[in-house]
Amino acid sequence: MGLDKNFPRHPHAIISPDVRWYPGSDAIGEKGREKLLPPLVNKIRKEVYDWREAGYPNISEVSQSLLTYWFKTNHPNGFQYYFAQRESVETIIYLYEVAQITNPSDLIKYDSSGVILPSMFEEQWLRLIIKQATGTGKTKVLSLLIAWCYFNKLYEKNSNLSKNFLLIAPNTIVLDRLKTDIEDLKIFNQDPIIPPNNYDGKTWKNDFKVKVHIQD
């Protein structure tokens, strides 16, 4: 793995799309590295970066409030989400609300490899997918996206998002880890996910009425 010399060492620092880690060594060159990078990532990352710098325009009032609360507000004990977690959440919201991606074929415009074709996608239903390595905080990202879906469905007219969620764990080890955070809504009460009542004129805490059912 290579690392740009300007890559920040602080996990909360916003990273420019031009300053990233890259697979392989310097010996393979820029064109060689391009073939090893995920084909959709670079163009999406640049658009999300510009959108973030512009202050998150062209999204719902609810999404604007949540992004501002999560990533631009000083939280108790100096809590901050890592940039990788933040970028994952921002990217989902950007693709759904700004770019209005509704099926896999819509993503082809972000292909930097020139080899992705519509025929590669067997289904055309909406999927909001992120890929994160072990230990990068998938549950934190998941909890933020659950809140985003929930409050958009609750507060925004004609929202196609949902207030019901099904979490599927691949094995009992992951299930036990999820239960630690999800049971009794622990992560939603512990992390700065739900804004306080009267934040931007809404009763967020009172309106987050979610029940957790865990399969025996």
Side-chain angles (χ1 to χ4, degrees), residues 10-76:
H10 199 287
H12 303 113
I14 292 176
I15 304 174
S16 166
D18 298 320
V19 180
R20 291 284 174 164
W21 72 269
Y22 48 85
S25 66
D26 290 334
I28 65 174
E30 189 67 29
K31 290 186 177 180
R33 285 199 297 270
E34 285 181 2
K35 294 181 180 179
L36 298 175
L37 291 170
L40 302 177
V41 169
N42 284 343
K43 290 184 179 180
I44 293 175
R45 184 170 274 157
K46 288 177 182 178
E47 287 193 9
V48 171
Y49 180 87
D50 292 339
W51 174 66
R52 181 192 305 114
E53 290 293 295
Y56 303 131
N58 304 317
I59 57 175
S60 68
E61 181 180 317
V62 169
S63 297
Q64 179 70 246
S65 295
L66 290 173
L67 287 170
T68 300
Y69 177 70
W70 294 335
F71 307 132
K72 296 184 178 181
T73 302
N74 293 325
H75 299 296

Side-chain angles (χ1 to χ4, degrees), residues 151-194:
F151 285 115
N152 266 281
K153 185 65 174 179
L154 180 67
Y155 292 140
E156 295 289 339
K157 292 182 179 179
N158 303 318
S159 172
N160 290 322
L161 296 172
S162 178
K163 293 194 293 180
N164 301 295
F165 311 93
L166 173 64
L167 306 186
I168 302 175
N171 52 56
T172 55
I173 295 175
V174 176
L175 175 61
D176 288 340
R177 290 177 181 172
L178 278 172
K179 285 168 64 176
T180 301
D181 289 321
I182 300 297
E183 199 165 21
D184 299 323
L185 300 175
K186 179 182 176 181
I187 193 169
F188 294 96
N189 296 317
Q190 178 177 287
D191 287 356
I193 299 171
I194 313 302

